[in-house]
Amino acid sequence: MSEYVEKYHQYGNVPPPQSLKPKDVYQAHHGRMEGITTFKSDYLPYDVVSRPLRLQEEYKPKFGEMDLGTTYRRDFNLHKLQPVTLVRPLERKLIKGGKFDTIPTYRDDYRLWEVQRREPYKLEYMYHPPTEKFGNSTTFQDDFVPRELNPRQSFKPPGVAKLSDVPFDSVTSHRSSYIAHQLEPKFVRPKEEYKPSSQPFQDLTTHRNDFKGLLGEFTKSYKPEYTKIGSNAHFDGSTEFRDCFQPWPVFLPEARKIRDYVPPPGNMDLNSTSHLDYVPHMICPVAPIRPVSYGRSSNAPFQGNTTMKEDFQAWDSCRQDIIRRHQEIPKPVGKFDGLTTFKSHYIPHEIIPVQSFRPLRVVVPTSARFEDETMYRTDYTPKAQEICPANYPSPPGYVFVNTDSRGHKFFRRFTPEINPFSHPNGNHMPKEVAVAS
C-alpha cells in the first residue's frame, strides 16, 4: 500500500479516446471520369482545309518594240557643261619694317600680381602636463563596489549509499506469488521396433532389366606408345616454305625519261580580243580642288615657353637603389678547392671482379641412347578394370544362396578356375560374398 494507491483508486475498463485523425489511406474515386476540360469545352476543333495552290500563268511575250522613254528624259534636256573656273584671291604679302611685338593679349591683360601668403589665425597652444596626480574616481568604481563571492549552498543529497541494520530477507513478489509446482514426467513415445517385410525387395530397375552385365573384353586403346624418335642423320635445313617460295630476282623500276621541250614553229600572236577591241586613250589626270593656303611668314624667333614649363620644372630624379640585407656570412676569398669529405676520406681502390664458377653452356654431343624411363612408367603398370558384382541383379559366375534379416543377398562362386575378383595382395575373396540390396 502507498499514498498514491490510497488516493487514486483504480477504475474499470476505460478504453482510450479514439483518434479523429483521418487514416493516411488513398481513397479511390469509383465513379466514371468524364475527361472534359475547360480547354476541350471552349476550344472546339474545326476542320482545317488546306489553301488551294494558285497556278502561275504562263508567260507570253508581247509583240512590238518597247518604248523606253521616261518623263525624266522628256522634261530634263541635256546641256553642255563647262568646267568651273577657280576663283582664288590674290596673294598679298604683308611686309613691315618695324619690330614684331610678340606679347599676346593674354599676357597684356592678365599680369602677375605679387600675392602675399595669408597667415593662419590658429592660436598656438602648448600642452603642459599636470603636476598633480589624478585622484578622481570613475562612475564604475563608485557604483560597483567589489564584494566577496559567497557560493550558493547545494541542496543535492550526497551520493552515499545508506546502509540498513535490518537483515536482507531476499523475498520478492515472484518468490512469494509464484510457487514452484512439481512437473509431471515427460511423455516418452515408445520406439517402434523395425519389422522387416516378408516380401523380397524388388530392386530391379529398367537399366538392370534391359542391360545385363555380360563378360566381355574392354576396349583396347589405339593410342600409340610414346617413343622418342631420334635420328643421327645431318639436318639439311630445307623446309616447305623454302622449297615452295623461291627467291625471285627483283629489279629496280625504270626511271621514265622526261622529253626535251621543243618550242612550236612560228611566231606567237600575243594579240587578244581585249587588245584588238579596246584601244587605249590618252587621259589627263584630274587636278585636285584644294583651297589655297595663306601662310604667314615671320622672321621673329618662336617663343615656346608656356605656363606649364615655367611652373613645373623638371627635377633631377635618380633611381632608388635596391635595399639589400647585409650579408652576415662573409664571402670566401680565393679559389674553390672542390674537395668534399667523401673524396678526402674514401680513396678509390681497384676492384677485382669475382671469378665465376658457373659451367660453360656447351652442348656435349653423345652417341648414347637417351634413357626416357620414369618412375611412373616403371612402377605404375596398366591393370585390368574390374566391375563390382553388386551392380548386377544376378552377378555372372555366382549362384544365389539366401537373404538375411537385413535384406542382404549372399551368392556363391561356382567357377573356381576363373578368379576375376582377386585382391591386389594376392589373397582370394571368400566363396560367399555379401551384396547390399
Side-chain angles (χ1 to χ4, degrees):
M1 301 297 293
S2 62
E3 184 182 358
Y4 182 84
V5 176
E6 292 177 357
K7 290 184 178 181
Y8 302 95
H9 300 281
Q10 186 177 4
Y11 294 92
N13 189 8
V14 180
Q18 296 181 358
S19 177
L20 301 179
K21 183 179 180 181
K23 295 182 179 180
D24 191 8
V25 181
Y26 173 71
Q27 299 178 1
H29 183 68
H30 300 286
R32 187 177 178 183
M33 183 177 179
E34 295 180 0
I36 299 175
T37 60
T38 56
F39 186 84
K40 287 186 178 180
S41 59
D42 298 344
Y43 300 94
L44 300 177
Y46 296 95
D47 297 335
V48 180
V49 183
S50 60
R51 182 183 295 179
L53 298 176
R54 183 178 180 183
L55 297 177
Q56 190 174 4
E57 297 180 359
E58 187 179 358
Y59 173 71
K60 295 180 180 181
K62 297 181 180 180
F63 298 98
E65 295 181 357
M66 184 176 179
D67 187 8
L68 300 177
T70 60
T71 56
Y72 185 84
R73 289 187 176 183
R74 185 184 59 189
D75 299 340
F76 300 94
N77 299 327
L78 297 176
H79 300 277
K80 293 182 179 180
L81 300 177
Q82 296 181 357
V84 180
T85 56
L86 298 177
V87 183
R88 297 181 178 179
L90 299 175
E91 292 185 4
R92 298 177 181 178
K93 295 182 179 180
L94 301 175
I95 301 174
K96 294 182 180 181
K99 185 179 180 181
F100 180 71
D101 190 3
T102 58
I103 299 174
T105 57
Y106 184 84
R107 282 191 179 184
D108 193 10
D109 297 341
Y110 301 95
R111 298 183 181 182
L112 295 177
W113 299 89
E114 295 182 359
V115 180
Q116 296 180 357
R117 186 176 181 181
R118 182 181 296 177
E119 296 181 357
Y121 292 98
K122 184 178 179 182
L123 298 177
E124 295 183 0
Y125 176 74
M126 298 297 293
Y127 173 74
H128 300 283
T131 56
E132 298 180 359
K133 185 178 181 181
F134 182 75
N136 297 334
S137 60
T138 61
T139 55
F140 182 84
Q141 293 177 355
D142 297 340
D143 298 341
F144 298 95
V145 181
R147 303 177 185 276
E148 294 183 0
L149 296 176
N150 296 324
R152 184 178 296 178
Q153 186 180 0
S154 177
F155 294 94
K156 183 178 179 182
V160 181
K162 296 181 179 180
L163 301 178
S164 179
D165 301 335
V166 181
F168 182 68
D169 55 355
S170 70
V171 177
T172 61
S173 59
H174 181 81
R175 291 184 179 182
S176 59
S177 301
Y178 299 94
I179 304 171
H181 298 277
Q182 188 176 1
L183 297 176
E184 297 179 357
K186 188 177 181 181
F187 175 74
V188 179
R189 189 174 183 179
K191 188 176 182 181
E192 296 181 359
E193 187 180 358
Y194 174 72
K195 295 179 181 180
S197 179
S198 60
Q199 300 295 330
F201 179 71
Q202 296 180 1
D203 58 346
L204 188 64
T205 60
T206 55
H207 182 80
R208 292 186 178 183
N209 188 19
D210 298 340
F211 301 95
K212 296 183 179 180
L214 301 177
L215 290 175
E217 297 180 356
F218 293 100
T219 306
K220 295 182 181 181
S221 177
Y222 291 96
K223 184 178 179 181
E225 295 183 359
Y226 177 73
T227 55
K228 185 178 181 181
I229 301 173
S231 177
N232 297 328
H234 182 68
F235 180 64
D236 298 336
S238 62
T239 59
E240 182 182 0
F241 183 82
R242 291 185 179 181
D243 297 341
C244 297
F245 300 94
Q246 298 292 337
W248 301 93
V250 180
F251 302 99
L252 296 175
E254 296 180 359
R256 186 177 180 182
K257 295 182 180 180
I258 302 173
R259 296 179 180 179
D260 298 336
Y261 174 72
V262 179
N267 297 329
M268 184 177 179
D269 188 8
L270 299 176
N271 292 328
S272 60
T273 55
S274 178
H275 282 225
L276 297 176
D277 298 342
Y278 300 96
V279 182
H281 299 277
M282 298 299 294
I283 299 174
C284 298
V286 180
I289 304 173
R290 296 178 180 176
V292 181
S293 60
Y294 300 98
R296 296 179 181 179
S297 58
S298 176
N299 297 328
F302 177 72
Q303 293 183 358
N305 296 331
T306 60
T307 55
M308 175 76 181
K309 287 186 178 181
E310 292 179 357
D311 297 342
F312 299 94
Q313 300 293 334
W315 300 91
D316 295 338
S317 60
C318 299
R319 188 173 181 180
Q320 187 177 3
D321 297 337
I322 300 174
I323 302 173
R324 297 181 178 179
R325 188 176 180 182
H326 180 66
Q327 191 173 3
E328 298 178 356
I329 302 175
K331 293 184 179 180
V333 181
K335 188 177 180 182
F336 180 65
D337 297 336
L339 186 64
T340 60
T341 54
F342 184 83
K343 290 184 178 181
S344 59
H345 295 173
Y346 300 94
I347 303 173
H349 300 279
E350 186 178 357
I351 299 173
I352 302 174
V354 182
Q355 184 179 2
S356 177
F357 294 94
R358 184 178 181 181
L360 300 176
R361 299 182 63 181
V362 179
V363 180
V364 181
T366 177
S367 59
R369 182 176 177 272
F370 178 69
E371 297 180 359
D372 55 348
E373 295 293 336
T374 60
M375 295 176 62
Y376 182 82
R377 292 188 179 182
T378 56
D379 296 348
Y380 299 93
T381 56
K383 299 179 179 62
Q385 189 175 3
E386 300 176 357
I387 301 175
C388 182
N391 295 332
Y392 307 104
S394 58
Y398 290 85
V399 180
F400 177 74
V401 178
N402 58 356
T403 306
D404 60 354
S405 61
R406 290 184 294 179
H408 291 271
K409 295 180 181 180
F410 291 89
F411 296 86
R412 181 174 56 82
R413 187 185 302 133
F414 71 96
T415 53
E417 291 82 5
I418 303 174
N419 189 12
F421 308 104
S422 60
H423 200 268
N425 298 332
N427 299 328
H428 298 285
M429 294 179 65
K431 293 183 179 181
E432 293 184 357
V433 181
V435 181
S437 60

